[in-house]
Amino acid sequence: MNVLLKGGTVVTHEETYVADILCTDGVIAEIGDNLSAADAEVIDATGKMIMPGGIDPHTHMQLPFMGTVAKDDFATGTAAALAGGTTTIIDFVIPSPQQSLLEAYQQWRDWAEKAHSNYTFHVAITWWDDSVASEMETLVEKHGVNSFKHFMAYKNAIMATDDILVASFTKCLELGAIPTVHAENGELVYHLQNKLLEQGVTGPEAHPLSRPSSVEGEAANRAISIAKTLGAPIYLVHVSTEEATDAIRYAKDHGHTVFGEVLAGHLVVDDSVYQDTDWGKAAAHVMSPPFRPKHHQDALWKGVQGGALQTTATDHCAFCAAQKAMGQDDFTKIPNGTAGVEERMMVLWEKGVNDGKITPNEFVALTSTNTAKIFNMYPQKGCIRVGADADLVVWDPNQSRTLSAATHKSAIEHSIFEGMEVQGVPETTLCNGKVAYHKGEIRSQSGDGRYIDRPTYAPFYESLRKRKELNQPRAVIR
Ligand code: URP
Ligand code: ZN
Ligand code: ZN
Ligand code: ZN
């Protein structure tokens, strides 16, 4: 099936121009003026923008976590993604301690077969021995995994201690993969949680108190220092504080390769949500790191504008009200996670582009291109050029909407963006060259999504090695 997008304004991370785009067999076949194709479905994009489909580098569909399983599975979650203009998600394989990485990876691959959108995986390192190192090798060489995740929080569950970070970052460097971290000091969180419970503070208002910004700042600095000492690059997921943003900026200023991701939620929602007298509403916002006092949002936006934070994500991990109620008497038992895969691009357009903080081209970089580059899917994804995958979003910058759980595709009954007015919404989403979403209707089928292989980024690592050799700044690489 061919799809012809007529007369739209093409917006990439570097260019803006009016053109027709013909998509054939899942790829962009032609870009030009007055294109025609006999058997094509024609979509009039006059007055609309055509941008690369969004890539959300951080989601958790049907994640088994904290005694339950996230409500949005790979079917509902990826349908929601498409409705929001996102055509690829990077989800996380999270092996339980002592579980084989390859077994966990296969489990997640099986679950993801029902995906509507494209998908790929970071794999978490939750324990360590020689078999983990050898399975990392297999994942890189045979399964197109080029990034490994480390949770510095969640003590007594999946927390990676310093010895694991050192061993795993070293292995990542050897393999040409990128280590990523959830930066929060798990020991401090555990200590503060217990102290609050002892004091009888058991509600959701205790959640942010148990995870102050210094807890993230310490872990961010530690992870960056470890990576820097070993000569490895590093990617920090869901950066939510001024401290962590400053740590990234400082390291970048000193020539180190550090990437930072920010969530749409952390950019626009503040910690007042935990003071809601409605327990369910406050609990609905329990995620880690927590929402922060407003001045952190200013720091995050500055990080976005100045290049310290290069990607936007959601950490989509949807728990419904009944699941949140598992922590009715103890805030540490409220499953951590919020949704947003559908809203991310609209929120970033409204609060970023419409508010004059970023340009439409920067919007494309932040929602798609930078992630494609960092995790080596570019230029197959994250760009609009002949031969690239036809993962595209037709964006109507004039249409308004009120974001609400009443209308979102996610399976849960609350939204952290409830009531937000946005102007600028996806009208049509093309995934693998097919119309997957159009004006409110999901047209894709469960199972249409494809797994994306991400080879290691050899040239990037080569240049890193060269730079290190030139400066001789630190320990020998490898
Ligand atoms: O609260 C969160 N973020 N839940 C999902 C797991 C994680 O830490 O990313
Ligand atoms: Zn996390
Ligand atoms: Zn400050
Ligand atoms: Zn996460």
Side-chain angles (χ1 to χ4, degrees):
M1 181 64 190
N2 298 332
V3 179
L4 178 58
L5 304 173
K6 292 288 289 178
T9 300
V10 178
V11 183
T12 71
H13 67 291
E14 53 194 1
E15 283 180 295
T16 306
Y17 57 93
V18 175
D20 299 344
I21 298 181
L22 177 65
C23 307
T24 306
D25 297 332
V27 298
I28 297 174
E30 242 183 299
I31 303 173
D33 295 331
N34 304 315
L35 299 184
S36 62
D39 57 347
E41 173 175 357
V42 179
I43 293 176
D44 179 12
T46 314
K48 316 277 160 59
M49 291 164 168
I50 303 174
M51 301 188 281
I55 305 174
D56 188 333
H58 190 155
T59 67
H60 302 280
M61 303 309 171
Q62 66 194 80
L63 176 69
F65 193 52
M66 295 182 72
T68 185
V69 177
K71 250 313 179 260
D72 275 325
D73 61 15
F74 279 92
T76 60
T78 54
L82 291 169
T86 289
T87 48
T88 299
I89 58 166
I90 315 185
D91 207 274
F92 291 82
V93 172
I94 307 184
S96 17
Q98 308 309 318
Q99 188 187 14
S100 145
L101 271 61
L102 290 167
E103 180 189 289
Y105 170 81
Q106 192 52 53
Q107 174 69 80
W108 258 265
R109 285 292 302 264
D110 292 346
W111 287 338
E113 278 189 2
K114 55 180 181 272
H116 286 252
S117 76
N118 296 323
Y119 55 94
T120 178
F121 293 108
H122 308 284
V123 175
I125 302 302
T126 56
W127 60 291
W128 190 262
D129 73 7
D130 288 349
S131 74
V132 173
S134 118
E135 290 198 315
M136 285 171 77
E137 236 164 271
T138 308
L139 285 164
V140 166
E141 285 159 14
K142 296 211 166 67
H143 300 288
V145 172
N146 69 16
S147 48
F148 292 94
K149 167 74 173 287
H150 308 79
F151 291 93
M152 297 170 79
Y154 307 123
K155 181 177 159 72
N156 296 332
I158 52 175
M159 183 167 89
T161 45
D162 285 2
D163 52 334
I164 298 182
L165 299 183
V166 171
S168 176
F169 289 12
T170 304
K171 191 69 191 173
C172 285
L173 183 60
E174 179 194 319
L175 295 171
I178 296 190
T180 80
V181 290
H182 167 139
E184 282 187 307
N185 183 314
E187 290 294 342
L188 274 173
V189 172
Y190 184 73
H191 170 78
L192 293 173
Q193 284 179 330
N194 287 331
K195 210 168 114 184
L196 285 155
L197 289 175
E198 274 165 26
Q199 290 166 350
V201 192
T202 59
E205 72 280 6
H207 178 69
L209 300 175
S210 69
R211 313 179 96 98
S213 65
S214 53
V215 158
E216 181 176 320
E218 185 280 329
N221 277 292
R222 177 159 41 101
I224 291 171
S225 297
I226 293 172
K228 194 167 164 178
T229 306
L230 299 170
I234 188 165
Y235 177 100
L236 282 79
V237 309
H238 53 42
V239 173
S240 73
T241 59
E242 182 171 32
E243 290 93 321
T245 309
D246 286 350
I248 294 171
R249 187 183 298 109
Y250 181 85
K252 285 171 81 72
D253 283 353
H254 288 75
H256 187 53
T257 306
V258 187
F259 304 105
E261 165 195 287
V262 64
L263 306 184
H266 284 138
L267 284 169
V268 305
V269 178
D270 67 66
D271 64 345
S272 61
V273 293
Y274 299 115
Q275 301 308 319
D276 203 306
T277 50
D278 179 333
W279 190 95
K281 282 194 181 152
H285 290 87
V286 167
M287 61 103 44
S288 298
F291 297 106
R292 301 293 187 187
K294 273 194 190 307
H295 83 270
H296 288 284
Q297 284 169 27
D298 299 335
L300 296 177
W301 278 112
K302 284 192 186 122
V304 164
Q305 291 169 319
L309 305 174
Q310 300 98 343
T311 68
T312 57
T314 58
D315 200 359
H316 187 97
C317 188
F319 294 109
C320 68
Q323 292 174 308
K324 292 284 183 182
M326 290 165 62
Q328 192 73 57
D329 304 319
D330 176 349
F331 73 97
T332 66
K333 297 195 166 62
I334 302 171
N336 286 201
T338 54
V341 74
E342 181 173 348
E343 294 90 353
R344 176 182 67 123
M345 294 177 78
M346 291 181 274
V347 167
L348 201 73
W349 187 271
E350 175 63 28
K351 302 296 183 187
V353 178
N354 290 347
D355 285 358
K357 291 192 179 76
I358 54 171
T359 66
N361 305 94
E362 287 168 332
F363 172 85
V364 170
L366 287 159
T367 55
S368 182
T369 313
N370 291 350
T371 292
K373 286 183 177 174
I374 294 167
F375 296 108
N376 206 17
M377 295 182 272
Y378 185 87
Q380 212 56 43
K381 300 203 179 292
C383 78
I384 297 182
R385 61 168 83 159
V386 171
D389 292 345
D391 289 354
L392 300 166
V393 56
V394 180
W395 193 263
D396 186 345
N398 297 312
Q399 199 178 317
S400 298
R401 184 178 300 172
T402 307
L403 301 179
S404 173
T407 48
H408 72 190
K409 307 279 182 211
S410 164
I412 61 170
E413 64 283 77
H414 46 253
S415 166
I416 57 168
F417 305 112
E418 187 65 40
M420 183 187 289
E421 305 283 341
V422 298
Q423 186 187 323
V425 306
E427 182 175 271
T428 308
T429 307
L430 263 70
C431 190
N432 302 317
K434 289 199 243 171
V435 177
Y437 167 85
H438 186 63
K439 294 188 176 170
E441 179 205 345
I442 299 289
R443 290 215 204 150
S444 57
Q445 302 295 316
S446 171
D448 279 355
R450 291 187 197 150
Y451 176 71
I452 310 301
D453 258 302
R454 297 177 297 118
T456 57
Y457 197 11
F460 167 69
Y461 266 86
E462 263 327 295
S463 79
L464 260 184
R465 289 202 178 92
K466 284 213 181 92
R467 257 197 281 165
K468 295 283 146 50
E469 274 162 25
L470 282 178
N471 304 332
Q472 290 295 338
R474 297 182 270 274
V476 180
I477 316 293
R478 285 246 232 163

